[in-house]
Each structure stands twice: as structure tokens, then as C-alpha cells.
Amino acid sequence: MKPSQVFRSLRSRNYRLYFTGQSISLIGTWMQRMAVSWLVYRVTHSSLMLGIVSFSGLIPSMLFSPYAGTLSDRHSRYRILLYSQVASMLQSGVLAAIVLLEHYNITAIIFLSVVQGIINAFDTTSRQSLMVDLIDNKDDLPNAIALNSSMVNLARLLGPAIAGLILSTFGEGVCFLVDFFSFIAVIISLLMMNLQLPPPQRVEGNVWQGLREGYRYLQQAPDIRAVILMLAASGIFLMSFNTLTPVFAKDVFGGNAKTYSWFASITGLGALASAIYMAGLKPGKDLVKIIGAAGILFAGSILLFSLAGSLPLALFLIMLSGMGMMGQIAATNTYVQTNVPGYMRGRMISYYAMAFQGTLPVGSLLAGGAASQVGAPLTASLQGAAGIICAVIFLWSMRARNGKDNIVT
């Protein structure tokens, strides 16, 4: 695989600016995520409270993503993205201030998590919908999506590693402060862009009519609906597993903040490897098979992780889970963006965001509640088993719908 093939979308100046700014900002974002979870578990020692805080930060995506998707189809996606980054910066600043000044409680953490969740609903739909406008050669869109996934997972690798050192030395407040300053990079990169965007499509009717149009389109596109539902199933049963990693790090394996950061970083390493593989894929690959196979790898790794008796084996298995997770996410994103018309892209990305982020709060709440009753290992075993069943059903249904040897790519 030639490097020029893997990084071909970086030839576009606007995408290169976006990639650079987001790379810096996302390191801070992952540091904040790590610090919030560790702070909550350190203060409460409750896996249920971990689930509640995670639920609070993610449920807005389920509620607001359809509205945000319709808004991005009708207004400037660039401006929505810029405003959402500024809002995220302010949220991080408030979080840093209350923790550093020791004027925080769990209620305040939950409230700020809800605020960030609302911001993320608009950020995700506008950012993903804008991707095609950032590249000069539209054939490079799948590569740009995969490189974006690589960027996210490189940040997921570096952010927790840095957070682990800062948490054990300075505490959670400094992690939040670093996240605040990291937004400067992405805001500057957005302001430096020279975009020639087509005017948003003028449509009759209000936003709620646009939502209904998106839903009707989804009903008439069974393959798009199937890959989104598969991602939603993974969000409920598998991605919510991350809620339990502080419990595994501290209670199951007897570790500390550094052990917790190892889990997140090694997951990011596996996800980064998968994203690089996706970036090098040539057009015409069977994305449906990749989604199904990645789902099985994701679920099977979590099932085996729950049974692991040693930390090195657990780290290896969680790395494989990261590979499966990112393979499924990137392939689903590429499939959706390359199989829907431009005027409907924002709304379909909003459904993708609902499946990716909107189902996580439900899964996180269920995982935290189950772990508080039956323990984290058994909960993770059940999550893995459910994920395998969903992946098998997905592959069977897609094969039955499109013909044994004619699955749409």
C-alpha cells in the first residue's frame, strides 16, 4: 500500500487544514472524556453513576440529531461547525474552572455533560456533512472519511496516555484546561479555509417537514436502514462497554488511573490500525461484509475480554475490539455518504449520528445498571454475546435481501 494512496485526500488544502486542527483538538477531547469518567468513579465509586453521567452526555444526540441534520441541509454547514466548536470550547472552560476551583458536584458534571451532548449533536452532523465539500476530488471522499477516523483514533491513542499522566500528577482539572486550549487550533483552521460552498437548497416547509422527508427516504432505502440499525445495535450492546472500563481498571485488575488510560490507549491503537486499513481500501470493496465481519470481531473480543484472567491478555483483546469497532464505524459512514444524494446527506448523517452516539446513552445506562447488580465481567459477557447475534442477523438479512452473491457495495 503506497503512502500516497493512504493520504491522497490531504492534497486538498481545506481538508488538510481541517485534519490538522481537528488532530490537535481531539487529543484534548479524549483527555476530557477520560477525566470525566475517572472523576465520577473516584468520587462516587458507583458503576451506576458512570452509566448515568454517560447517559446524560449522549442522550442529546438521540433527541437533537434529526433536527441538526435537517438544519445542516438548509443552512451553512460551515457556520454551524464553527459555532459548535466555539461552544465546545466554552463548555470545556467552565468545566475546567469549577474543578480547578473545587466548586463542582455530580449535578454540575451531569449538567455540563448534557450541554456538551447538545453541542455534539449539531457538531457531528455538520462536520460529517461538510466532509465532501472539503476535498477537491470527490473520488477521495471514502479516503477522507477513513483518514478522519484515523485522526480520531490517533487522538484516542495519545489523549488517554497523556491524560493518565496528568490525572495521576495534577488531577482532572488540568485535563479539562488542556482541552479548553486545544480548541484554538481547530477554530483557527476553520477560519483559514477558503470554501466555495453551494448555497443551501431552498425548500418549502418547516424543519419538521424536513425531518419527515428524511424518515420517508430511510423507509425507501432498506440497505441504508439496515447498516444504520446494525450500528445502533453496536451502540447499545458494544460501544457502551467503555462505560465499564474504569471498573475493570480499578476493581477487576486492581489498577489506577494509568491502568485506565492503558485501556483507552490500546483501544485507540487497534482502532487506528483499522482506520488506516480502511483509508487504503480501493473503490468497489464490499462494505457490507466489512461491517458484518468488523461487528463480529468487535463483539467476540469483548466477550473474550470479560473472561480474561490477566491484564496483558485483556489489553490484547481490547485492542482487537478497537479494530472491530472502527472498522464498523468507518465502513458504515462511507456506505451512507456514498449511497445517498447530496440534498439528503445531512439528514442521513443525523440518523447515522443517532445510531453511533444516540444509542450509546441507553446502552451506557443499561451497562452501568447491570454491572451494579451482576458485576462488570458478566455484563461484558452478555454485551459480547448480544453483539455477535446482531452481526450474524445483519449479514443474513443483507444476503437474503440482495441475493447470495449480489450484496450491494
Side-chain angles (χ1 to χ4, degrees), residues 31 35 41 54 56 80 82 86 93 100 116 146 166 177 186 287 300 361:
M31 291 177 65
Y41 196 64
S54 181
S56 302
I80 295 173
L82 179 60
V86 173
L100 288 171
Q116 187 60 63
I166 293 178
L177 189 63
V186 69
L287 293 176

Side-chain angles (χ1 to χ4, degrees), residues 6 52 81 98 111 113 141 166 181 189 297 311 349 376 381 384:
V6 175
I52 291 173
L81 178 59
I98 65 171
F111 173 76
S113 296
L141 177 60
I166 293 178
F181 285 113
S189 70
L297 176 62
L311 182 59
I349 287 297
S381 295

Side-chain angles (χ1 to χ4, degrees), residues 120-162:
N120 285 342
F122 292 88
D123 172 81
T124 300
T125 52
S126 60
R127 177 162 36 88
Q128 295 289 349
S129 302
L130 186 66
M131 193 78 66
V132 68
D133 297 310
L134 298 178
I135 55 176
D136 300 328
N137 184 350
K138 305 312 176 189
D139 291 337
D140 289 341
L141 177 60
N143 176 257
I145 293 171
L147 273 187
N148 186 66
S149 299
S150 301
M151 168 182 60
V152 171
N153 287 289
L154 181 59
R156 185 173 185 163
L157 177 63
L158 297 176
I162 298 171

Side-chain angles (χ1 to χ4, degrees), residues 13-22 25 76-88 123 126-127 130-131 134 182-195 197:
R13 178 181 180 274
N14 289 324
Y15 182 75
R16 192 162 60 246
L17 284 169
Y18 167 85
F19 187 90
T20 303
Q22 284 285 338
S25 177
S76 170
R77 294 161 180 167
Y78 169 79
R79 290 188 179 277
I80 295 173
L81 178 59
L82 179 60
Y83 296 155
S84 69
Q85 294 299 303
V86 173
S88 292
D123 172 81
S126 60
R127 177 162 36 88
L130 186 66
M131 193 78 66
L134 298 178
S182 72
F183 281 101
I184 295 174
V186 69
I187 292 171
I188 290 175
S189 70
L190 288 171
L191 293 174
M192 290 177 63
M193 289 181 183
N194 181 21
L195 289 171
L197 297 176

Side-chain angles (χ1 to χ4, degrees), residues 253-291:
F253 292 103
N256 52 24
K258 288 184 179 179
T259 311
Y260 174 43
S261 72
W262 292 346
F263 281 128
S265 292
I266 204 70
T267 303
L269 178 62
L272 177 62
S274 182
I276 292 173
Y277 167 76
M278 292 296 298
L281 283 182
K282 295 180 180 179
K285 290 293 183 179
D286 192 335
L287 293 176
V288 168
K289 288 183 178 178
I290 292 176
I291 291 170

Side-chain angles (χ1 to χ4, degrees), residues 36 40 44 51 90 109 137-138 181 196 248 269 298 302 309 393:
V36 166
V40 170
T44 67
L90 294 175
I109 299 299
N137 184 350
K138 305 312 176 189
F181 285 113
Q196 302 295 327
F248 276 97
L269 178 62
F298 190 10
I302 289 177
I393 292 174

Side-chain angles (χ1 to χ4, degrees), residues 43-350:
V43 172
T44 67
H45 301 286
S46 168
S47 56
L48 177 59
M49 189 57 66
L50 278 172
I52 291 173
V53 172
S54 181
F55 176 87
S56 302
L58 293 168
I59 191 62
S61 290
M62 178 178 287
L63 300 177
F64 289 95
S65 284
Y67 179 85
T70 303
L71 205 66
S72 72
D73 281 337
R74 295 175 174 227
H75 299 280
S76 170
R77 294 161 180 167
Y78 169 79
R79 290 188 179 277
I80 295 173
L81 178 59
L82 179 60
Y83 296 155
S84 69
Q85 294 299 303
V86 173
S88 292
M89 183 179 185
L90 294 175
Q91 186 269 354
S92 296
V94 172
L95 185 56
I98 65 171
V99 173
L100 288 171
L101 296 175
E102 298 185 355
H103 290 310
Y104 68 91
N105 52 40
I106 295 301
T107 302
I109 299 299
I110 290 175
F111 173 76
L112 288 171
S113 296
V114 170
V115 171
Q116 187 60 63
I118 295 172
I119 296 169
N120 285 342
F122 292 88
D123 172 81
T124 300
T125 52
S126 60
R127 177 162 36 88
Q128 295 289 349
S129 302
L130 186 66
M131 193 78 66
V132 68
D133 297 310
L134 298 178
I135 55 176
D136 300 328
N137 184 350
K138 305 312 176 189
D139 291 337
D140 289 341
L141 177 60
N143 176 257
I145 293 171
L147 273 187
N148 186 66
S149 299
S150 301
M151 168 182 60
V152 171
N153 287 289
L154 181 59
R156 185 173 185 163
L157 177 63
L158 297 176
I162 298 171
L165 295 174
I166 293 178
L167 284 172
S168 60
T169 306
F170 303 106
E172 297 89 356
V174 175
C175 286
F176 301 142
L177 189 63
V178 172
D179 182 44
F180 169 77
F181 285 113
S182 72
F183 281 101
I184 295 174
V186 69
I187 292 171
I188 290 175
S189 70
L190 288 171
L191 293 174
M192 290 177 63
M193 289 181 183
N194 181 21
L195 289 171
Q196 302 295 327
L197 297 176
Q201 185 183 22
R202 299 185 65 87
V203 293
E204 299 296 329
N206 57 35
V207 170
W208 303 110
Q209 288 175 313
L211 288 176
R212 287 194 292 270
E213 290 171 4
Y215 180 76
R216 284 196 296 268
Y217 176 85
L218 198 60
Q219 291 299 105
Q220 297 167 7
D223 289 349
I224 298 293
R225 186 173 67 246
V227 299
I228 288 177
L229 286 175
M230 176 60 195
L231 188 63
S234 291
I236 292 175
F237 297 118
L238 301 177
M239 296 177 199
S240 58
F241 163 76
N242 286 330
T243 303
L244 302 179
T245 52
V247 184
F248 276 97
K250 189 171 184 180
D251 297 338
V252 176
F253 292 103
N256 52 24
K258 288 184 179 179
T259 311
Y260 174 43
S261 72
W262 292 346
F263 281 128
S265 292
I266 204 70
T267 303
L269 178 62
L272 177 62
S274 182
I276 292 173
Y277 167 76
M278 292 296 298
L281 283 182
K282 295 180 180 179
K285 290 293 183 179
D286 192 335
L287 293 176
V288 168
K289 288 183 178 178
I290 292 176
I291 291 170
I296 291 174
L297 176 62
F298 190 10
S301 300
I302 289 177
L303 177 59
L304 293 175
F305 172 86
S306 69
L307 304 173
S310 67
L311 182 59
L313 177 59
L315 290 172
F316 173 73
L317 290 168
I318 207 170
M319 181 182 69
L320 292 182
S321 77
M323 294 176 65
M325 177 188 67
M326 184 44 54
Q328 182 182 353
I329 292 172
T332 302
N333 192 347
T334 302
Y335 188 91
V336 171
Q337 294 222 39
T338 54
N339 285 279
V340 300
Y343 71 90
M344 193 61 68
R345 186 180 302 117
R347 277 163 283 187
M348 290 304 101
I349 287 297
S350 73

